Amino acid sequence: MYAPSEAARRSGFSLDTLRYYEKIGLLSGIGRTSSGRRVFTDDDLGWLELFRCLRDTGMPIAQMCRYAELAREGDHTAAERKALLQEHAVRVEEQMSLLRRQYDHLREKIRYYEGLAES
């Protein structure tokens, strides 16, 4: 069991983000101590690791919530969850391709200015 501050440290999310994710139902079933303080499990940290990946790759919160909702419904939603992740992976791949082209353009400009400096 992890205190909220430890869960925040391990996940890289702020305490406010953890509270928000719980409030909107992205995180569910967070345990509580007898005094009412939240406690996180390894399973919760696993979810947070997935949410970090999805958020960092640009998945909208609504889709993250849909994925979590489907997962809580059980194994019969596996195909829909897979499809959701596949669609997201396509968007990530498109973004990576765009970034690669933009990076190449930046490198070309840098080479141009390096050429000017040598003249």
Side-chain angles (χ1 to χ4, degrees), residues 42-86:
D42 286 328
D43 190 50
D44 297 326
L45 292 179
W47 275 104
L48 289 169
E49 184 178 357
L50 174 61
F51 297 151
R52 166 65 64 197
C53 172
L54 297 176
R55 187 180 93 166
D56 288 353
T57 56
M59 181 179 275
I61 289 281
Q63 285 186 321
M64 291 169 58
C65 287
R66 179 66 182 145
Y67 179 88
E69 179 183 298
L70 289 168
R72 286 190 286 271
E73 288 178 18
D75 289 343
H76 69 279
T77 66
E80 192 173 347
R81 283 181 277 154
K82 178 183 173 188
L84 194 145
L85 293 176
Q86 286 175 322

Side-chain angles (χ1 to χ4, degrees), residues 8-68:
R9 186 188 71 73
R10 287 175 177 253
S11 68
F13 289 116
S14 70
L15 287 170
D16 287 338
T17 299
L18 295 181
R19 278 188 220 97
Y20 174 69
Y21 282 0
E22 187 177 8
K23 178 182 174 184
I24 64 171
L26 191 54
L27 281 174
S28 71
I30 301 300
R32 302 259 176 194
T33 64
S34 59
S35 62
R37 291 183 49 90
R38 292 174 299 144
V39 289
F40 294 82
T41 64
D42 286 328
D43 190 50
D44 297 326
L45 292 179
W47 275 104
L48 289 169
E49 184 178 357
L50 174 61
F51 297 151
R52 166 65 64 197
C53 172
L54 297 176
R55 187 180 93 166
D56 288 353
T57 56
M59 181 179 275
I61 289 281
Q63 285 186 321
M64 291 169 58
C65 287
R66 179 66 182 145
Y67 179 88

